[in-house]
Amino acid sequence: RSNSTKLPGDVVYDYLTSTVYGAGIRDADIDNASLTTLNTYSDSTFGYIEEDSTAQTLADRYQINGLIDTNEKVIKNAEQILSAAASWLSYDVHTGTWSAVINRAGSSVASFTDDNVLGSVAVSGTGLQDLYNAVQVNFPHRELRDSADFIKIEIPDGDRNANEEDNTLNLTYDNIN
């Protein structure tokens, strides 16, 4: 099925409520306020710096523009849609509703102290072989009519630790362009 819906909250709502290709969840069982918040956050501009140090701005932070496999489990597809918008699907057992939770900076709601931590706390470092120093992102490129494209960004050798081996994190985003 093809449509012009691109905002993540609208896309996941359509998928969750569809009785044809989605989950068939009733509107009353969805926290629509969380999806509206996701749409507002996704539709906001996003600034970033190019490799040549020029400032750029995207007109919108997230758009969903890709295919899902309706042969996959509904929950997997819903999570894939939300993951493309840096969010996840949550179910509140108290209200009986599904909602989207945006992974973004927020305010602290709790603090850990000696009075509320039970047991020991261990802190460990990351070995050199576990550090990523490059990323390759594969995605359908918006300006190339959604043809497959990629970008690779590496940390310069001078900014790496001594004896740090090349270690590239490979990411593929099928639903964002």
Side-chain angles (χ1 to χ4, degrees):
R1 178 176 175 211
S2 176
N3 65 48
S4 60
T5 304
K6 66 177 185 172
L7 290 173
D10 294 343
V11 172
V12 79
Y13 177 84
D14 178 64
Y15 186 70
L16 290 176
T17 59
S18 174
T19 57
V20 176
Y21 52 83
I25 297 173
R26 297 178 316 128
D27 179 73
D29 296 331
I30 296 175
D31 178 1
N32 288 301
S34 72
L35 300 182
T36 300
T37 301
L38 176 58
N39 281 345
T40 302
Y41 182 70
S42 299
D43 206 26
S44 63
T45 59
F46 179 75
Y48 64 98
I49 306 294
E50 286 277 358
E51 287 182 79
D52 63 1
S53 300
T54 58
Q56 299 289 328
T57 303
L58 280 178
D60 44 20
R61 185 179 299 268
Y62 299 115
Q63 281 186 12
I64 303 300
N65 185 8
L67 302 173
I68 56 170
D69 183 356
T70 55
N71 291 318
E72 291 289 341
K73 293 183 177 183
V74 171
I75 191 78
K76 180 180 178 188
N77 284 336
E79 288 174 343
Q80 181 181 357
I81 292 166
L82 286 169
S83 177
S87 302
W88 66 87
L89 189 63
S90 177
Y91 182 76
D92 187 333
V93 295
H94 301 292
T95 62
T97 57
W98 293 92
S99 64
V101 179
I102 304 169
N103 186 14
R104 61 180 169 174
S107 300
S108 175
V109 295
S111 297
F112 295 107
T113 67
D114 289 338
D115 297 328
N116 61 10
V117 174
L118 302 176
S120 61
V121 175
V123 178
S124 62
T126 303
L128 284 179
Q129 70 276 9
D130 297 325
L131 295 175
Y132 290 113
N133 45 39
V135 63
Q136 179 171 315
V137 181
N138 302 293
F139 60 98
H141 197 286
R142 180 183 300 188
E143 295 171 359
L144 301 176
R145 297 179 58 201
D146 292 325
S147 296
D149 199 1
F150 75 94
I151 186 168
K152 184 171 184 178
I153 301 171
E154 298 180 4
I155 295 174
D157 289 340
D159 293 338
R160 295 184 186 185
N161 293 311
N163 301 319
E164 184 177 337
E165 298 178 10
D166 292 339
N167 192 8
T168 301
L169 173 63
N170 292 298
L171 301 172
T172 300
Y173 294 110
D174 297 323
N175 294 322
I176 57 176
N177 61 0

